[in-house]
Amino acid sequence: MNPLIIGTNGAVSAIDPKSGNVLWKTVLTTGEFLSSTSHSDVSVLVQGDVIFAGGSGHLFCLEAASGRILWHNPLKGFGHNDISLAMNGVSVQFLTKVETSSNGTSNA
């Protein structure tokens, strides 16, 4: 069974769905002294062996197996708002707290 991936308080974590144990946790640091993503809500989207995570105007790509940050894009010129993510028929829209799948179902 695949882990549950969560984003909260400026971090992304993988949770074992059977035990509830944290498998790994990655704080989304931007390299600044006080990270602009700390304590922020984080949207996550899993695509194969990578996880895309966005929060406070920053976008990250993490390795799904370990949580290692592969790259970071500060999205200069976009502001410091929440991030909505979409790929392959799945949309994560943080502002409305809704996930819509390609089969038309939604969870609020």
Side-chain angles (χ1 to χ4, degrees), residues 36-91:
S36 62
T37 59
S38 64
H39 306 294
S40 70
D41 291 318
V42 177
S43 295
V44 294
L45 180 65
V46 179
Q47 181 65 28
D49 60 352
V50 295
I51 299 166
F52 298 100
S56 296
H58 292 264
L59 181 63
F60 295 83
C61 180
L62 290 78
E63 184 178 68
S66 67
R68 179 175 63 96
I69 296 174
L70 300 173
W71 54 258
H72 163 244
N73 183 335
L75 300 175
K76 291 186 187 266
F78 286 90
H80 295 281
N81 294 315
D82 297 321
I83 304 288
S84 295
L85 304 170
M87 184 179 285
N88 293 337
V90 176
S91 175

Side-chain angles (χ1 to χ4, degrees), residues 2-60:
N2 291 330
L4 172 65
I5 305 298
I6 65 168
T8 187
N9 291 322
V12 176
S13 298
I15 308 295
D16 182 322
K18 290 183 179 181
S19 68
N21 292 331
V22 176
L23 302 172
W24 55 257
K25 177 183 176 185
T26 300
V27 176
L28 300 177
T29 180
T30 62
E32 300 167 5
F33 177 68
L34 294 173
S35 174
S36 62
T37 59
S38 64
H39 306 294
S40 70
D41 291 318
V42 177
S43 295
V44 294
L45 180 65
V46 179
Q47 181 65 28
D49 60 352
V50 295
I51 299 166
F52 298 100
S56 296
H58 292 264
L59 181 63
F60 295 83

